[in-house]
Every structure is written in C-alpha cells, then in structure tokens.
Amino acid sequence: MSAKPGPVFLERRTYRRRRAADAARLLPFLGVVLIGVPLLWGDESAEMAKTTRVMLYLFLVWVLLAGLSAIISRNLDKGEDDAPPGETPTRDDM
C-alpha cells in the first residue's frame, strides 16, 4: 500500500496568474466564434440578416473583446508586480 498523497498547494498569486494567462490564450478563439455568429443568422427563405444589425453586433463584440483583454492584461501585469524583490517571474511561472 502506498501512502495517500497530500493536497497539492498552489500559491493563490501563481494560480490566478496562470488562469489569467490561460484566459488570454483563449480570448482569440472566443473572438473568432463570436464574430462568426452572424454567418449563422438568416432563415430558410434565403433572406440575409440586416446589415445594421450585423454591424451593431460586431461592434458590441469588438467592445466586449477589448474590455476583456484589458481586464486580463491588467491582472497579468498585477501578478508580475507581486513577485518578491530580486525574483523575476519566468515563463514557467505563468
């Protein structure tokens, strides 16, 4: 019988920085999916969606993506400032 391994402990700062980096990596894929949604609009009568509706939707998606990227980048920058003095964060830390 082997001993049960104890719980894995990750520092909260490191964990949040890694999740923010993961979110930053997934944001372009979310953008592609959201921008592709108007291609699915329309009905069986071959009538296309109105241009004004599509342009408004694309503008709102663009604003949403810009806002999300600003929030994520702020969290990533804040995580690097929290590093102890003399210790520079490496790519492996993210």
Side-chain angles (χ1 to χ4, degrees):
M1 274 189 153
S2 64
K4 273 180 125 175
V8 177
F9 174 74
L10 297 174
E11 282 188 57
R12 187 175 296 219
R13 180 184 68 217
T14 304
Y15 178 78
R16 287 186 180 174
R17 186 177 21 196
R18 286 183 180 179
R19 296 299 74 84
D22 291 342
R25 288 184 194 110
L26 290 176
L27 199 58
F29 297 107
L30 175 66
V32 167
V33 169
L34 289 176
I35 288 175
V37 167
L39 296 173
L40 301 174
W41 291 350
D43 53 5
E44 295 176 8
S45 65
E47 183 179 320
M48 299 300 290
K50 292 191 179 235
T51 305
T52 54
R53 185 175 165 197
V54 172
M55 293 305 291
L56 179 63
Y57 172 80
L58 290 176
F59 178 73
L60 291 175
V61 166
W62 176 73
V63 168
L64 174 74
L65 291 173
L68 285 175
S69 65
I71 292 169
I72 291 170
S73 69
R74 186 179 315 149
N75 287 338
L76 284 174
D77 288 341
K78 187 177 13 173
E80 291 177 2
D81 292 342
D82 291 342
E87 182 180 323
T88 57
T90 61
R91 184 173 171 90
D92 295 333
D93 290 340
M94 293 182 170

